Amino acid sequence: MQYPLITIVIPVYNSGKFLDKCIASVLNQSYKNIEICIIDDGSTDNSRDKCDKYCRYNQNIKVLHKKNEGVSIARNCGIENASGEWIVFVDSDDFVTPDYIDSLFRTTNNGEMPFGMTGMAKVSKTGEIVEKNRTATKYTLKRNECIELLFDYSNGYWGYICGKIYNKNLLSKYNIRFREGIHFNEDRLFCFEYLSFLKKNEKIVIDTKAYYNYVIHENAVTSQKISNKNLTELDAFIVMDKIAKKRIGKSRLSSIIRSKCLDSLELLYSQY
C-alpha cells in the first residue's frame, strides 16, 4: 500500500507555552510520510524562535513567518504552501495521539475517499479529559448526513476544522479557503463548503474515537465581551445557507442552519 505525503498545517500565534507539546505530538506520528507546515502569524513571544529551532533539526518541518493577520489567513497560507496530497489541521495549543494521522488516513479508505473524520476530546491544560465523545465506534454516512452532523452538538465536536482530512486537489480545484472576514464559526463554514463539493452519494467514514486533544483555556470566548468579530458567526451561517441553496438544494438543511443561527443570536444577545 502507498502512503502519500500528508501535510499538517499548524498556525501559530504567541503559543510558546504550548508549542513544544503540540509539535512533539505531531512528530511522534506512527504515519511517517508527513510534512509539518508551521505558519507563524507574527508572534511576539518566543514562538518564532521555537519554530525556527524545530525547523533546523527536522527535515520534514517548514516554517513560514508572516505579519499578524489572523488564523484564517494563516491557515490559507498553509494550504497554499502544502506539498502533500492531503491536508490536516492542528492548532498550536492542542496535541494529538501518535495514531492521529494514520487513523484519519484510514477513514479515507487509504486514499480512495475524499474526506474522513475522527473524534476529539476536550482536555484541561494539564491534559485531564474534560469531555469526549460518549461512544467510540466507526460508521459511514452519505454527504448530506455528514453535513447535518456539523450542526449536531449533542455528541461530539464535528464542526471543528481539526479531526478531519482534506484532499489537496479538491481544495485547489474549487479554490476552497477560509473566509478572511469570518472570525467565528469559520471552521464549520470551511467544512461545510468542502463537503458541498462532494458527490451527493459520496460515502464518508467517521471514527468517533478521540485522537485529537482540544485544550480548554480559562479565557474562553464565552467569557469575553461581544464585538463585531463575534457577530461574524452569524455571517458564517448566512454564507452556509447560500451554499446550501446553490449546491445542495435541501430545504431541511436550510432549516437546520437557520435554527442554529437563531440559537447563536440568542446566546450572543444574552452575553451583551
Side-chain angles (χ1 to χ4, degrees), residues 7-41:
T7 297
I8 304 168
V9 174
I10 307 178
V12 173
Y13 179 70
N14 291 351
S15 306
K17 293 186 294 184
F18 313 101
L19 203 53
D20 290 330
K21 188 170 186 176
C22 173
I23 295 180
S25 72
V26 173
L27 285 170
N28 192 37
Q29 292 300 297
S30 58
Y31 188 103
K32 297 304 181 184
N33 194 19
I34 60 173
E35 169 192 66
I36 302 170
C37 183
I38 302 174
I39 310 299
D40 171 34
D41 191 34

Side-chain angles (χ1 to χ4, degrees), residues 137-153:
T137 186
K138 292 182 181 181
Y139 58 95
T140 302
L141 295 178
K142 290 184 178 180
R143 183 201 66 175
N144 286 359
E145 295 172 322
C146 188
I147 290 175
E148 290 185 13
L149 187 63
L150 298 178
F151 302 93
D152 182 1
Y153 308 154

